[in-house]
Amino acid sequence: MNIRGLENIVQTFYDISGMDIAVIDSKNRIVARRYLGNRFCALLHRSPKCLKMCEQSDSLRMSEAKGSGELVTYTCPFGIFEAIAPIKKNNEVVGYLFLGMGLEARNGCHELPLARALEHSPLSDREELEKSIGEIPKYTREKLMAYAEMLPILAEYIENNNLLEGSSRSIGQLTKDYIKKNLSHKITLADLSWNLHFSTVTLTEHFKKEFGMTITEYILQKRMKKAAQMLSNDGDISVKEVSEACGFADIEYFSRSFKQYYGASPSIYRKQARADGEKGIT
């Protein structure tokens, strides 16, 4: 599998459209993706019911695309425009291109997503949902369809250049790849399950077996190492900025976690690192 080639394709498409795009292999694993990280889906997926609705919708449309062998456009259960195009090899479907996170630009276009979200997840914060819907890119119907109709062209390019052949990455490695790309954002098991198309049980069991630690332990390890590097090397950056860059929304929680991990607060760790650096220079 040519991961670099696939990632270049999704990055270029994202730069043009601003819409989410992903390449999914024959095992329903996302192997390349570029997305804007919109909060609306993340908020919805806190609700098991909403997450299941989204998963069922995607599964249904993927089956439709596989059966017809053609592009399928639709709106998700919460009113977001999406499209799926099959990737073929010798007339056999070997993967999919998935397009999402776009709203048709018209008066009241935010009303349906909000109403559906509150209907199926009534405990959700209305104000937070409204803000997240406002962040979703809006396009004319013509532009949405134009972007969708680019998917079969990209799918044919992927097929002709054998970019999706020979996938050898394990579930654990796919999990690591996702964490690495999203370390500065909040990462939950639900996020991983949704984006990698595996159950949380499957993800946790495979990861533990492959790497001898839990997913949560690995995320903390990566964030702490990144924080330590930033504190040691970026002299002008604030502790708050380090905290945010490492995926911590709460600076106090970050400081407690850092001290527990390294035995020193971020500020003291930085001073020690600077002192050690000065000793090395002399």
Side-chain angles (χ1 to χ4, degrees):
M1 178 180 293
N2 188 334
I3 297 298
R4 184 180 296 275
L6 292 172
E7 290 182 341
N8 286 340
I9 288 172
V10 299
Q11 180 65 56
T12 300
F13 185 91
Y14 177 83
D15 290 341
I16 293 170
S17 67
M19 296 183 70
D20 285 8
I21 181 170
V23 179
I24 302 172
D25 69 10
S26 59
K27 297 180 181 179
N28 289 346
R29 302 182 300 189
I30 293 180
V31 295
R33 185 179 187 186
R34 185 64 177 90
Y35 67 114
L36 53 83
N38 189 274
R39 291 188 299 128
F40 181 62
C41 288
L43 293 172
L44 285 178
H45 298 161
R46 292 177 183 176
S47 162
K49 179 182 178 182
C50 293
L51 178 59
K52 185 176 181 179
M53 289 173 64
C54 291
E55 290 174 338
Q56 289 176 337
S57 174
D58 285 349
S59 178
L60 175 64
R61 299 303 183 174
M62 288 173 69
S63 295
E64 185 178 341
K66 183 176 182 178
S68 67
E70 299 179 353
L71 173 71
V72 175
T73 61
Y74 59 100
T75 56
C76 80
F78 299 92
I80 308 299
F81 179 89
E82 296 179 344
I84 292 178
I87 302 170
K88 304 174 187 176
K89 187 65 178 178
N90 299 324
N91 293 320
E92 190 173 319
V93 174
V94 295
Y96 304 89
L97 274 164
F98 175 87
L99 180 67
M101 289 316 298
L103 273 177
E104 185 176 347
R106 52 183 175 76
N107 290 336
C109 62
H110 66 285
E111 294 176 0
L112 178 59
L114 179 62
R116 291 275 177 85
L118 292 174
E119 176 186 356
H120 296 287
S121 184
L123 298 180
S124 297
D125 184 277
R126 183 187 182 98
E127 183 177 352
E128 193 174 13
L129 283 170
E130 287 178 335
K131 288 181 180 179
S132 69
I133 294 170
E135 296 168 0
I136 301 173
K138 298 172 180 60
Y139 308 86
T140 63
R141 181 69 181 177
E142 291 75 17
K143 183 162 285 189
L144 286 171
M145 292 305 300
Y147 288 144
E149 288 166 4
M150 290 176 66
L151 296 188
I153 299 172
L154 296 179
E156 184 175 355
Y157 177 86
I158 292 170
E159 175 189 344
N160 291 339
N161 289 276
N162 299 317
L163 299 184
L164 199 54
E165 287 192 345
S167 175
S168 61
R169 291 195 299 171
S170 66
I171 293 175
Q173 191 57 57
L174 287 168
T175 304
K176 274 191 171 184
D177 291 345
Y178 178 88
I179 292 169
K180 180 179 178 181
K181 293 176 183 177
N182 296 277
L183 201 60
S184 61
H185 303 290
K186 183 179 179 180
I187 302 173
T188 66
L189 286 176
D191 295 330
L192 289 166
S193 175
W194 168 254
N195 285 284
L196 298 180
H197 287 206
F198 290 102
S199 71
T200 56
V201 173
T202 297
L203 289 173
T204 54
E205 288 182 350
H206 278 260
F207 196 92
K208 179 74 172 181
K209 183 177 181 180
E210 287 186 53
F211 304 114
M213 66 174 71
T214 67
I215 293 173
T216 301
E217 289 170 341
Y218 178 74
I219 292 173
L220 179 63
Q221 179 190 88
K222 296 297 291 183
R223 285 177 168 163
M224 291 297 100
K225 287 183 177 180
K226 180 177 180 180
Q229 290 173 350
M230 293 181 71
L231 290 167
S232 299
N233 302 325
D234 299 335
D236 296 330
I237 194 169
S238 69
V239 172
K240 185 176 186 298
E241 290 172 317
V242 173
S243 170
E244 292 173 348
C246 295
F248 290 87
D250 185 339
I251 187 173
E252 293 184 1
Y253 177 63
F254 164 69
S255 297
R256 289 197 304 270
S257 300
F258 190 92
K259 185 173 183 179
Q260 185 176 9
Y261 197 87
Y262 284 108
S265 69
S267 298
I268 292 176
Y269 184 93
R270 168 177 274 166
K271 290 179 181 178
Q272 292 174 341
R274 286 178 176 174
D276 292 341
E278 290 172 358
K279 288 178 183 179
I281 294 173
T282 59

